[in-house]
Each structure stands twice: as structure tokens, then as C-alpha cells.
Amino acid sequence: MRRVYFSAFSPIPDASSALPLKPPPLIREHRLYQADWLLRFYGFNAQEITDSSTNAGMLPLDIDPKLAWALNHREVFPIDLNRAPREMLLRIPGLGTKTVKQVLQIRRWQKVRLRDLIMLRASVKKALPFIICADHHPGTSDPATAALRSQLARPTLQQSLVFE
Amino acid sequence: MQQPGLFDSSPIPARNHSTSVMIAPTFESFRDAAREMLRLNRSPDQIWWVETDEAEPPGSASTAQARVSAQFVKIAQFVACHASPDRWTLLYRVLWRLTRGEPYLLALSGDPDVARMRRYEKMVRRDLHKMKAFVRFRQVSSVAGERFVAWFEPDHAIVKLAGDFFVRRFTNMRFSVLTPVGCVHWEGEGQLVFTQGLSAAVKLADSLDDLWKAYYENIFNPARVKVDAMRSEMPQKYWKNLPEAQLIPALLLAADARTDQMIQAAPQVSVLNCGSPPEGYQTVLQRSVQDDSRPALARIADATRACRACELWEPASQAVPGEGTPKARIMLVGEAPGDQEDLLGRPFVGPAGQLLDTLLAELNATREMLYLTNAVKHFKFRVTARRRLHQRPQAREVAACRNWLLQEIEVVNPQRIVCLGATAAAAVLGHPIRLRDVPPLGFELQGRQVMPTIHPAAVLRAADPSSKRAHLRADLQQALLGLI
């Protein structure tokens, strides 16, 4: 089996009452895919993902699994974009495999700056508290983990059903 | 005298040195012009790129050579299709930097020029991808025959890039894709034909539109609405040329209500409406055994099929009931079914059965005149690497099966019972005997003559088959005497 696909349950008319009536939050499907990607492309192992999940092994819905791991391992951060090996760059929240590949290319020739991350369309806001680069340091006064979490958590989405 | 630059020693170029370069809006035209400009050592800010349709044909003026990586050429081919008017300036600036001291420039994805060039490339690729997804062909009939025509509005001049895809995908269709930035036509063979773009939208519709819309409406899952993902995969700018897109707003508005309705219409019982579960094999057999209207022998056959009195039923394929004339005067009882009998469900069809048939034919009889059955109704075997080897049933198994044999004897009511082998004789008589102790006329059992003899399989196994065969033939001849 090369990979796994996840599909959240969606109710159907005239279903058996043994089936649940309400669909689960669709974001759960997304979180499962993110966790799968961490296993397949980011060098995480399953233990690391379940350790940083919240209640009863469920992935947190408000933050992605990589951010959850980073918040549980504050001692690893901040990571220097100009020095850290690829495996560590892949652990930074907000940086994907493509961004990491480009960061590694850039730093062969010049220092990586915040401007580069912005140009690469990385999630800079998410990455800022966890990185050091040529023109950025998160500072010595660490914000508390809980504060950081609420700052980076995904706002509860109200899906607008009407197109403007 | 020229003023020196602030940060390096190169002089700031004077504005009046800038030149206009006329190019056709294609990559090839730009490439030739850019080679020439590099040869003349014109810096990017000295050049004013002007698009014109009356440019010199590509390749005529240029003899200059410039070496850049294949990667740049590949990106530039996409960027050249972009709609932005500054793409030529951008491409030449990157080219200038690549050839003037920054050969590694493409690795610097964070550089503003590189980032913008990459972004343009991505936009064109995305537009190309969406064109492959959202072109909707409509059948058009004319004097020239059937033709499939599509109207599409891409953001960039991608028709030439997309042409090959549509030819591969719809090789045996005659089609035209019409867009504002160029049209492509395919006649089912030959070369793709590109023509000028159309300024006004073409209104198309055909009879399949309603069918397609009905399909789309029915596959829409109201419980799985992801508006953002949908808008990203199917941007609204393409909607006006997609027949199914007209349905989307109404479907989205009704989605919540439809989901709620499903929840309210939830079934109150936990039983699916599939009727009662199907009857098991045993139940069906039991009913047919108890059905008085069926022939007695058929009921016995079904009873043997349902029989679980010994363990032999489990590995066997099926029970092998007796067969033949229901009112036969002679009954032949064998030992147990073999491999062939087990697979076919009929007695005496293996090698021993064939020998029996031959002997009966020699005596002017056929098996249809008799009733043939076995003392044990299931195949007993041992599995070896190549085949299932027959095993002699034990007394316990013969005793378990004896009930069915006695019922068969009672129903058929034969005058003479020929027992093939000691096992069969023991089953009929109810006690073990030795074949060599059998008196010439056999035994008397409840007014019936019981005549034990050797089994045909014993002939096949014997070291001296001819004498065994003669023995069996003589016994059978005596058994048939007077009754056939």
C-alpha cells in the first residue's frame, strides 16, 4: 500500500440508524492528511504525532499537527534557517518541503532573509516565533506556549454559503 | 561625462540612450531580439520592448549567441505567454543578470525578479491546467458535418501550449476551441490550425447540457460543502462558460436545509428494510425432507445432504446419494464415493464405476436397470501433494450412515442386494463378514437375498486383474440371473 486516503463520513438519506446522523467536522480529514504528510515527507514518526495530540489521541482541530509538535518541543526552537540541517528545517511550522528546498538553495549563495520567506509565500506569521534568519530573531522573552497557541490557532470558520 | 552610480562603479545610463525593440508577442521573437541586445551589451533599462505584429520574422537578424541554462528557457516559454505587458522587460532583466555575473540567480527564489518570473510561470501553468479542465465542447452540425466547438476565456495566451493536449485527448473528434487570445482547429488528422482570437463571446448550447446539469445536480453532496476549496479548484471567473456552474449558488443555499432534512427524516428503528434474512442451507433441506409430496428417494437424498451424524461431511464437497430405478429388483451397494463421485455427486462414475459399466454391458445389462448406492454417502480422503487419496471408512462412520442405507432398501424394496466389498456387506447385514466365508447363494435377510462379492476397485488394484475380473463377472452374472 503506497498511501492512505481519508474521507470524512457524510450522511445519506434513508440511512440505517446505526450510522451517525451528522457529518464530522471536515477539518478533521484535513488534519489527518497533514499528519500523513508529516509521516511521508517530513521525517516524523507516528509516536511524535500522537504524543502531541490532545485528548485521547485525537489530533487537535484548531492547530495543525506540526505546530502542535513544535509547541510541545519549544526547547528545539528557534531554528537558524542559515545553519540548521534539512531535517530540522522540515520541523518548522509554516515551512513546507518546497520552501525548505528553496531555502537550502538560497543559502548556498547568500544569507536567507525574511524577505525571501515572504517571496516564497511561506506562512511567515506561523514561522516567525520558531526561526532565526539573517534579519530576524524571535527575541529572548519567550511568549508562553499557551499564548502562542491561541495566537496561531485557526479561528473557528464560519463558512459563508453565498458567493458575493 | 557620465555620472558614476552610487553603489558601484558602473555609470548610470543616460535616458536618451534607450532604444525601442519591436518584437512579435512570441517567445521565439523575444529570444532572437534578446540575443541581439545581449551582443550589443544593452542593459535592461536601456531597452523599451514594444509588441507589434509587424516585427521581422524570427531568426532573420540574429546571429548572436548567448548561453543560459535550459531551466531558464523552459520557464521563459511559459512566462512569454503571460498577459502582463512587463514580461519582456522582466525576462530580459533576469537574462541580463544571469549572463552578467549572477549565473546562480535562478537558485535565489526569494529574489524579487526571480520570484515574479516564477509567479508568472505558475499563473500560466495554472491557467493551462484549468483550460484542460473547463473547456466544454458542444456539438454543432453544419453542411461540413458534425463538429465540436468550445468557447473558453483564458487569462493568458495559452492556446498554442494547450493545442497538443486536446489533439491527444480527442484525436478522432473534429473540434475547434475558440478563445479571445487565439483559436485552435483540428480536422481529425493533419496539422493543428491556429487562427486569430475572437473579440466577442460565442454562445453555444446543445441538447446534452440538461443531461449534464442533471448529473451534476445529483452528484452534489450537500453534507460535504467546502466553499473555499471549491472556489480555489473551480475559480468563479470560469463559471460563465460552465453550464453546471449556474446550479452551484442554488445548490449551496439549499445544502444546509437538505442536510437538516436528512437528520430530521432519520429512521426510528434500527432495522434496515431488507426483509428477513435468507434461509440457510440446512433449513431449506429440512423443509424438503419433510415435504410429503416429494418422492421418498429424493427426500432421503436431501436428508443425506443435511446429515451431520459423522465428521465426513465437512471436508467432502457434497453427499453422493444413490441413483437408479426406484423400483429396481436388484440393488448394488458400494463402499463409499471416490474423488470423481464426490465432485460430480453421482455414484460409480470413477474408474471402478467404468469397470462396473463394462461388466454390466458384457452381461447385457445397464445401470439404469439397477439401483446403485453406497454404504457411506460422503467421500473420505487423505490429502497428498497431488491428489485426494481414498480412505476406507471406519465402522463408526459406516454405522452412522447405515440409517440412510436401510431406508433406501425399504423404499426400493429389491429382491436381491449385491454388496460390493466387505464394508458394504457389513453395512447391509449389520455385522462384519469375511468375503471368503460367503456361501454360494449368499445370505437371507428379511426375505431378500444378500450377495456379497468383491468391489470393482479391488480388480483395478489386484496384482492379477484378469482372475479377479472373472470372479466379479461370475458373481454379477449370478446376481442378475433370472431378474433381468
Side-chain angles (χ1 to χ4, degrees):
Chain A
M1 189 167 61
R2 197 170 289 171
R3 58 164 295 193
V4 183
Y5 294 87
F6 304 98
S7 185
F9 169 77
S10 71
I12 47 169
D14 308 319
S16 156
S17 65
L19 292 173
L21 282 171
K22 287 195 172 176
L26 288 178
I27 188 74
R28 179 169 293 156
E29 193 179 296
H30 181 53
R31 295 287 179 241
L32 284 169
Y33 275 117
Q34 285 179 317
D36 187 28
W37 252 244
L38 290 187
L39 294 175
R40 292 168 60 207
F41 305 115
Y42 289 77
F44 279 69
N45 62 45
Q47 190 65 39
E48 285 173 311
I49 292 169
T50 50
D51 280 353
S52 44
S53 55
T54 47
N55 46 343
M58 297 290 256
L59 295 171
L61 292 186
D62 57 338
I63 56 173
D64 64 78
K66 194 155 110 176
L67 181 57
W69 182 87
L71 290 174
N72 275 0
H73 296 82
R74 295 292 300 281
E75 70 282 356
V76 179
F77 299 99
I79 288 173
D80 190 339
L81 289 187
N82 286 303
R83 291 169 197 282
R86 179 169 182 273
E87 306 81 72
M88 291 317 292
L89 294 184
L90 285 172
R91 301 254 159 180
I92 302 171
L95 264 56
T97 48
K98 278 186 193 166
T99 310
V100 166
K101 188 179 166 198
Q102 284 164 333
V103 163
L104 290 171
Q105 270 190 359
I106 292 171
R107 75 184 195 186
R108 289 176 62 204
W109 305 101
Q110 62 185 35
K111 291 279 183 207
V112 179
R113 292 171 180 278
L114 220 44
R115 187 199 67 177
D116 294 319
L117 285 192
I118 295 166
M119 282 295 188
L120 293 178
R121 305 275 173 110
S123 305
V124 181
K125 264 188 205 165
K126 204 183 272 184
L128 274 184
F130 302 101
I131 56 168
I132 297 172
C133 56
D135 53 355
H136 168 77
H137 193 285
T140 45
S141 59
D142 267 1
T145 300
L148 203 52
R149 186 192 165 111
S150 62
Q151 179 197 328
L152 295 175
R154 172 178 176 273
T156 44
L157 276 187
Q158 289 291 323
Q159 285 184 337
S160 75
L161 289 184
V162 189
F163 288 124
E164 56 280 344
Chain B
M1 181 194 154
Q2 282 190 340
Q3 194 184 353
L6 269 182
F7 301 106
D8 55 303
S9 52
S10 66
I12 291 176
R15 274 279 156 232
N16 56 7
H17 283 184
S18 68
T19 42
S20 293
V21 180
M22 313 286 264
I23 55 163
T26 63
F27 171 73
E28 289 75 20
S29 174
F30 166 77
R31 182 188 59 198
D32 295 338
R35 277 178 184 157
E36 186 63 16
M37 291 300 116
L38 283 177
R39 191 180 65 82
L40 296 173
N41 209 17
R42 292 285 165 81
S43 77
D45 46 7
Q46 287 177 303
I47 303 174
W48 189 252
W49 297 92
V50 180
E51 282 181 20
T52 168
D53 291 333
E54 290 93 42
E56 301 167 37
S60 59
S62 168
T63 50
Q65 288 293 314
R67 299 199 68 83
V68 285
S69 65
Q71 193 191 8
F72 173 79
V73 177
K74 202 172 159 198
I75 299 170
Q77 279 169 341
F78 283 100
V79 174
C81 298
H82 197 277
S84 164
D86 71 346
R87 64 192 186 281
W88 308 119
T89 314
L90 175 68
L91 282 176
Y92 188 71
R93 195 158 59 236
V94 174
L95 193 58
W96 179 262
R97 291 175 65 187
L98 279 170
T99 51
R100 298 291 186 275
E102 290 180 272
Y104 51 82
L105 182 64
L106 291 181
L108 306 181
S109 314
D111 181 274
D113 283 341
V114 178
R116 190 141 62 100
M117 190 176 72
R118 290 287 197 178
R119 195 162 68 246
Y120 282 7
E121 181 206 1
K122 200 171 169 183
M123 287 162 82
V124 172
R125 281 180 184 275
R126 184 177 159 86
D127 205 30
L128 197 57
H129 177 76
K130 295 296 177 202
M131 180 170 179
K132 292 171 187 174
F134 294 139
V135 159
R136 297 281 181 270
F137 284 103
R138 262 66 165 243
Q139 201 167 17
V140 174
S141 303
S142 69
V143 279
E146 303 275 286
R147 189 173 194 84
F148 291 89
V149 182
W151 169 252
F152 186 70
E153 295 176 37
D155 291 341
H156 308 292
I158 53 171
V159 175
K160 286 212 166 114
L161 292 178
D164 282 346
F165 166 81
F166 288 106
V167 170
R168 276 202 311 279
R169 179 72 181 76
F170 305 110
T171 310
N172 45 16
M173 265 167 54
R174 296 169 64 231
F175 66 78
S176 299
V177 183
L178 314 175
T179 81
V181 291
C183 304
V184 56
H185 311 276
W186 173 250
E187 298 301 329
E189 58 190 9
Q191 292 285 314
L192 269 177
V193 179
F194 295 97
T195 56
Q196 290 286 318
L198 306 178
S199 51
V202 180
K203 287 271 171 227
L204 294 162
D206 75 6
S207 54
L208 287 177
D209 274 7
D210 287 337
L211 202 62
W212 167 237
K213 280 197 263 188
Y215 169 75
Y216 187 83
E217 202 171 358
N218 280 286
I219 59 158
F220 182 86
N221 182 349
R224 218 187 140 79
V225 173
K226 289 200 210 182
V227 177
D228 289 342
M230 187 178 191
R231 240 191 302 226
S232 151
E233 292 302 314
M234 195 171 172
Q236 267 174 286
K237 65 184 173 195
Y238 298 114
W239 283 21
K240 58 177 181 286
N241 293 319
L242 295 174
E244 70 270 26
Q246 303 155 16
L247 303 168
I248 295 174
L251 286 171
L252 286 179
L253 276 175
D256 270 354
R258 280 173 68 191
T259 315
D260 288 345
Q261 217 175 352
M262 270 195 280
I263 291 172
Q264 268 149 30
Q268 298 303 310
V269 286
S270 63
V271 181
L272 289 174
N273 290 327
C274 302
S276 51
E279 287 177 324
Y281 178 62
Q282 285 285 342
T283 322
V284 175
L285 281 181
Q286 288 302 335
R287 212 182 36 244
S288 73
V289 169
Q290 281 153 21
D291 183 357
D292 289 338
S293 64
R294 302 183 66 232
L297 284 172
R299 287 164 62 194
I300 294 172
D302 281 341
T304 59
R305 290 185 179 110
C307 178
R308 299 290 181 263
C310 68
E311 301 301 318
L312 294 185
W313 67 274
E314 201 165 5
S317 313
Q318 57 186 324
V320 181
E323 68 172 34
T325 314
K327 290 293 169 201
R329 292 196 281 180
I330 302 172
M331 180 188 250
L332 249 61
V333 183
E335 184 182 279
D339 183 67
Q340 304 273 314
E341 287 83 1
D342 175 70
L343 294 175
L344 290 172
R346 295 182 56 204
F348 293 103
V349 289
Q354 281 159 18
L355 175 62
L356 184 68
D357 280 341
T358 317
L359 290 172
L360 287 176
E362 284 174 17
L363 302 168
N364 297 321
T366 60
R367 61 161 65 200
E368 282 74 31
M369 300 169 176
L370 317 170
Y371 187 86
L372 304 172
T373 188
N374 282 302
V376 173
K377 303 290 190 272
H378 282 107
F379 180 34
K380 182 176 184 183
F381 59 92
R382 180 163 59 83
V383 178
T384 65
R386 293 177 59 196
R387 60 179 64 128
R388 306 189 296 174
L389 277 188
H390 170 86
Q391 281 194 303
R392 184 189 288 267
Q394 291 173 350
R396 180 164 53 83
E397 287 141 5
V398 174
C401 228
R402 187 157 181 260
N403 178 30
W404 308 125
L405 181 62
L406 296 183
Q407 284 191 27
E408 280 176 304
I409 292 171
E410 195 174 317
V411 170
V412 177
N413 195 17
Q415 290 178 32
R416 212 173 270 161
I417 302 173
V418 182
C419 303
L420 302 171
T423 311
V428 172
L429 297 168
H431 57 81
I433 59 153
R434 290 202 293 186
L435 285 181
R436 75 177 78 118
D437 299 341
V438 175
L441 287 177
F443 304 97
E444 178 77 14
L445 182 77
Q446 294 162 358
R448 299 188 179 96
Q449 195 182 5
V450 178
M451 297 181 67
T453 180
I454 57 168
H455 195 277
V459 177
L460 299 176
R461 278 200 302 269
D464 177 19
S466 55
S467 72
K468 285 272 187 189
R469 188 180 191 277
H471 176 191
L472 179 61
R473 187 173 187 272
D475 280 354
L476 281 177
Q477 190 170 22
Q478 199 188 356
L480 299 176
L481 197 69
L483 290 179
I484 295 297

